[in-house]
Amino acid sequence: AESLHSCIGLLGISAGSLLLAVHFYSSPRATPLIPSTALGVLLLILSALLAYAGIRRSLRNASLLVSLCLTLSAFWSGYGVILILAGQGVLPDPGDARDALVPGLATFTLALFLVAVVGFLCGEPLLALVAAVVSLASAHEVALHYSSSLGPSAVACSHLIVCLVGGYFALGRILYLLTKGKVALPGTDVAEKKAQEQGRGSAGSSNPFTAPGLLLNVLSASVFCCRLLGVTHRLFLGHVPWLWAAGTYQIGICVLSYRAMDVPMATAFGFTSILKFAGGYCLLYPTWQPEEPSFPTPFLVVFSILFAVLALFLSLQSPVDGLYLLVFVTYCIALACSPRGFFAAGPQGVAVAIFVASALVALIHLYNVRARAKIPTGKGAVKALLARSSLLKLREGPDLHAPYLGYSKYADAEVLTYACSVLASFALIATGDPQAPLATVVIPWVVVAGGILKLLGGSVAFAQGKTLESSAFILYSVMWIIWGLTRYSGLYGTARSFHTAMGIVAFMLFNSFIVFCSLFLNVAWFFYSLTFMLITVSFLLDAINALPTGYDITATLIFGLVSFYCFLAALSSSTFEGCCLPMGGPLVQLSGVRAGMTKCLHLPARKASSVKRIADILRNGGTCGIPTDTVYVLVAACSRPDAVEKAHRSKRQAQDRPMSLWISSLKQLEPAKHLFTPLLWDFMEAAWPSPISLVIPRGEWVDFLGMKDSAKYVGTPQSVAIRIPDCSVTTHLIDLVGPIVVTSANPTGEADTTHHNQVYAKLGDKVDAVLCGGPSPENIASTVVDCTKIDSGNIGFFRVGIIPKSQV
C-alpha cells in the first residue's frame, strides 16, 4: 500500500510538472496551449491527489514524501486559484499576476530547497532530486517575473526534468508491483527501498506532519514580508489564495497531528490557521469597500495570552518549539497595537521573524524525521530538570494519550476546543458600525475559531467515545457559525425578527439538556455549559432588540474565564501526571456513568500489549469484557475458580442459561479425543472456528482442561456448551490464558452488549477490565446447537443466532 501511495504521489508530481512545462513552453504565444483557467483547475485536482498520497503514507514509517506531497499540494492549490482568477480577468493589471504569484513562489523555492537538502543528507536521493529541480523551476519563475531576458524555456526545462524523473520511478514501481517483483527498472527496487526504510524506521519522529505545517507558516508570512521589503507593491485580493490555502491545509494538518497523538502542535496549528483566515479576510475586504477593516483589540490580547500559555507548556516537551511560538505572541501584540492590522509595518516586521523562525524550525523537524543523529531540541534537558521535582512529572509511556474508553485513533482535542471558546466569546465584545458590520474583523474569529475548529474538536471527541462532550461542542459550533454569519456579515441588518428569536430558543432548549447531563460529568463542564447559556441569552436579547448595555461584556467575561480555566486544566492534565487543575467530580453520581474515571481499565483491542494485560488480569483472578466474532462477552479463566464464581454471581446467572466454555483450538482437547465419538469430533472440526456453540455431553474430558472446582459453574450436570470463536483477538487471548468460561456481558434478561462502552454501563464494578474493539461486527449472538444426541442422527437448536439452521 505504501508503494502504491508513493506511485500516486510521484505520478501526481510528474503530471503537474508536465502541465506546467507545456504552459511555459507555449506562454510566448498569443494563445497558450492550456488556458490559465483550465491549468488552474487541473492543478487543483492534482493538489487533491498529492494531499491524498501524503496523508495515506504510514505514520510508523514516515518519509520525506509526506512533506514533499503536502507542500506541493498546498502550493499548487494556491497557484491554481490565482491562475483561475487571472484567467477570469479578476487580476487585470499587468503587475497584479506577478505581485500575486511571487510570495508563494519564493516560499516554495525555499521550502523545497530545505526538503532537497534533508533528502540528500538522509539518503533519499530520489525525493531530494525532485524537490531540488522543482525548487529550481520556482526560482526561475521568480526571476522570469523580474527579468525579461530570462525566457520561460528555462522554467519549462526544469519542470520537464521533474516529469521525466518522477515518471521513471513511478513507472518502475508500478512494473514491480504488477509483475510481483519480476521486473524492476534500475534504481526502483521496491524491496530494497522497503529494507532501507525499515532500517531507518526507528529514527522517525512522532509527528511527521509538523514540518509541512511549519512550511505553511512560512508561506503566509512571505505574503507580508514581500510587501514590507518592497518585492510586491501592495496587499490585495491576489494574495488571499495563498493565505486561505495555507489556513485550510493547516486545519488538515491539525487533524493529522491529533492522529499522530501530538496535542501541543495540533493546538498550535489550529491557532495559526485562525490568523491566516483573518489575514485573508482583511485582504479581501477592500475589494468591495475602499477602507481597511479594523481589529478588535481585546481579542488579540486574549489570543496572545493563549499563545503564551501554549508556548510555556510546549517548552516542557520541546523548548525549541516553545520558543518558536513566542514569535506569534509578539505577532498578536503587534496586531493589537496597530489600528491598520496586517497592513501596518509593525506586524509585517514580525512576519519577517516568523518567516525566518518557521524555516529554521521546519529544517530541524525535517531532518529529525529521518536522521538517526537528531538535532537537539532541548527535550532531554527539560526532562532531566523536571525529574528532580517531586511536584511536576511529565506524562510519558504507553498511557500518554490513553483515550476515554480506550478506543480512539486520535489524541484529545479539548485543549483547542476550550481555547476556541475563549476566542469566540471575546469576539462578541467587538463594537462596530451596524450599517457596515463587515468593517470590523469579527467573522474569522467567530466562524473559524468558534465554528470550524470547535466542530473539529467535537468530531475528535466523538471518535474518542465522549458522547456528551462531542454533542455539546458540535451544538456550540453550529450556534457560533449561524449566529456569527447572521449578526456580523450583514445578513441580519438592523431588523429584528420573532423567527430568529424562536431559533435561538430552540438552541437554548438543547443546551438545557446538555447542562442537565453535565451534572453527571464534572463540575467544570457543568459551569462551562451553564455559562454558555449566558451567551445564548445575549443572542436572544439582541434578536428581540432588548439587549442591555454591558450585558455582552459581562457574559463574555464569565464564559471566557470558565473556558480559559478548562483550557488550562485540559492542557495541564495532558502534560503532567496527576490532576494539576481539577475539573471536579460529578455533581450527581450514577452507576455506570463516566466509566473512564473508574478503576476499570479500558484497553484498545488493536494493541497486542492490551491483550497481554487482559491475560494477566484473567490469570490473577479478574473478570473482563472482551469483543468476539459476535457480541461482547464476560470471561474468566478456567484455572481460577474464584474468578468463575465471581462472573457467575455478577451475572445473576439463570439456570436455563448456564455459562459456556471456549477454547482456541481442538488441540487443547487432543488428550481427551478418545472420550469423544468420531462423528462428534468430525462435526466439531467442520463447525469451528465459527459463531456456533455446541452443547455436548458432559464427561471426563472436562477434567483435561484443568477446570478443577470451576467445572461446577459451567454448563449443566448433563451437558456443556463449548466453541472456538472466529476472532483472532479472542483466540490469542485464550492461547495466553488457557480455556475460558464465557457468558454474555449483560445482566440476565437484558439485550446483548454490542459496544465496549456498554459493558461497564451494564455490569459496573463487577468487571475488572474491558478490551475495547469498538462496535461489534454483528448484533446477533451465536447459534447454540444441541449435539447430545448427534450419534443417533439428531441435532437440535437451543438458539438460532447469526448462523441459520440450514448452514448448520
Side-chain angles (χ1 to χ4, degrees), residues 453-512:
L453 290 179
K454 190 171 286 188
L455 184 63
L456 183 153
S459 302
V460 173
F462 181 80
Q464 288 191 305
K466 297 184 176 181
T467 308
L468 176 61
E469 294 93 323
S470 64
S471 301
F473 289 148
I474 292 172
L475 174 69
Y476 295 171
S477 68
V478 172
M479 187 67 182
W480 284 116
I481 291 174
I482 294 176
W483 183 250
L485 290 175
T486 302
R487 183 177 181 181
Y488 296 105
S489 67
L491 298 176
Y492 198 28
T494 58
R496 296 296 182 264
S497 170
F498 174 76
H499 305 87
T500 305
M502 290 305 298
I504 297 172
V505 169
F507 271 103
M508 294 176 68
L509 291 176
F510 282 122
N511 192 52
S512 300

Side-chain angles (χ1 to χ4, degrees), residues 67 332 756:
S67 300
C332 291
H756 61 253

